[in-house]
Amino acid sequence: MSKKLVLQGPDADQAALARVAQLARPASTTELHARALRCDGFDFTPELKAAVDAAAHAAGIDACFVDADLSLADFKLVAMDMDSTLITIECIDEIADMQGLKPQVSAITEAAMRGELDFSESLARRVALLEGLPTSALQRVYEERLRISLGGEAMLQGVQAAGLKTLLVSGGFTFFTERLKTRLGLDYTHANVLEAAGGVLTGKVVGGIVDADEKKRTVERVCAELGVATKQAIVMGDGANDLRMMGVSGLSVAFRAKPVVRAQADVALNFSGLDALLTILV
């Protein structure tokens, strides 16, 4: 199947986009908006992709090769990781900061996201460090530190307007996913439950941990409920624990992701906002 190449970047102009586009020697180019260009009619090879990716990255441009006729209409569900994907922070790191333990917890988080630590083990170790923290700290993190990632709300409005359902599946915590569900009008959420007693965290998670396998199962379960194939799901993530759910999708999107995730995703958004998805699937 022929490919289209969509080039876009928050600081790119049409001249910069055209310079990268010429590497593909396209038969035609179309300006999608002031900072996005579509290329059609070129011979796709892994060598071409590598050359375009390198030039685009150096210019602060996201280069996305997808099937030429792929559009938003081909999908029924958008599934998203939460921490560092839909939102800009790692919630557990910010909760730990309330205990003065952010460096210790962040180091474990980073290792897990790179795939160097088993996620379930890493989460248990990090949550244990939160023992004794007042539950009011969670509300402070939500109010003072949680921010939606660049383009996140526009992306959600676009996919919701197109009739797609939305799933937020997270190795983080229900305290945050449930608030985001209400705030953003999401259809489904699934995350870990932090145990608390007497107004403080116990340092434990209630029930099973939402790890890479559970994320994948959740995407499969929601698709089954909707009566659609997993190939009709777009899955977005940034860390190694997102790879399994991304692997069953029809389009996997790495957002500000670790190298191991960028290497395996269908498209990578290193510079653009989440709403760049809408431009790719015009």
Side-chain angles (χ1 to χ4, degrees):
M1 183 177 289
S2 62
K3 298 279 188 181
K4 64 181 175 182
L5 166 62
V6 177
L7 299 167
Q8 56 188 318
D11 301 315
D13 55 26
Q14 286 295 320
L17 295 168
R19 284 194 294 274
V20 177
Q22 282 311 304
L23 292 172
R25 301 184 183 276
S28 65
T29 60
T30 307
E31 183 177 333
L32 298 175
H33 58 71
R35 304 193 185 282
L37 188 70
R38 171 176 172 156
C39 305
D40 290 282
F42 55 87
D43 293 323
F44 177 81
T45 65
E47 293 77 17
L48 171 64
K49 183 179 187 303
V52 170
D53 284 348
H57 197 275
I61 292 169
D62 291 315
C64 302
F65 290 91
V66 296
D67 291 344
D69 60 354
L70 196 67
S71 72
L72 206 54
D74 293 309
F75 298 98
K76 301 297 183 184
L77 175 71
V78 175
M80 303 153 284
D81 171 54
M82 180 174 68
D83 294 341
S84 298
T85 301
L86 183 60
I87 65 174
T88 61
I89 63 170
E90 291 286 335
C91 289
I92 193 165
D93 293 1
E94 302 307 318
I95 298 168
D97 198 28
M98 303 290 179
Q99 285 281 67
L101 292 170
K102 187 172 183 178
Q104 297 94 311
V105 170
S106 294
I108 301 171
T109 300
E110 281 292 308
M113 293 301 98
R114 290 192 300 266
E116 297 167 5
L117 279 180
D118 173 76
F119 182 81
S120 294
E121 176 195 348
S122 75
L123 184 71
R125 284 170 55 186
R126 286 176 288 166
V127 170
L129 292 170
L130 305 180
E131 183 180 359
L133 183 70
T135 54
S136 58
L138 303 178
Q139 187 66 28
R140 284 187 56 201
V141 169
Y142 180 78
E143 292 176 355
E144 299 173 14
R145 304 192 182 188
L146 187 148
R147 299 291 181 270
I148 306 299
S149 292
L150 177 68
E153 286 162 305
M155 180 273 292
L156 287 170
Q157 289 165 5
V159 300
Q160 288 165 338
L164 280 72
K165 298 298 185 181
T166 51
L167 163 65
L168 185 61
V169 56
S170 174
F173 307 114
T174 54
F175 182 93
F176 302 101
T177 59
E178 289 305 307
R179 282 159 176 76
L180 289 170
K181 182 178 184 179
T182 300
R183 175 175 166 182
L184 300 171
L186 305 175
D187 295 295
Y188 304 92
T189 61
H190 186 45
N192 296 299
V193 181
L194 280 173
E195 184 180 75
V200 299
L201 299 179
T202 65
K204 297 177 182 177
V205 171
V206 178
I209 286 178
V210 180
D211 59 6
D213 287 326
E214 179 61 15
K215 284 187 167 189
K216 173 177 172 284
R217 285 192 294 268
T218 302
V219 171
E220 292 170 336
R221 184 177 70 250
V222 170
C223 284
E225 285 182 23
L226 295 172
V228 303
T230 59
K231 294 302 179 185
Q232 292 175 282
I234 299 165
V235 178
M236 316 177 84
D238 74 295
N241 65 319
D242 298 318
L243 285 170
R244 290 180 187 169
M245 68 170 178
M246 292 169 75
V248 300
S249 71
L251 184 72
S252 56
V253 180
F255 182 72
R256 304 293 191 275
K258 304 303 181 199
V260 66
V261 181
R262 292 200 303 269
Q264 296 182 48
D266 295 318
V267 300
L269 300 177
N270 301 311
F271 307 103
S272 307
L274 286 168
D275 55 338
L277 174 71
L278 305 176
T279 306
I280 295 167
L281 296 177
V282 167

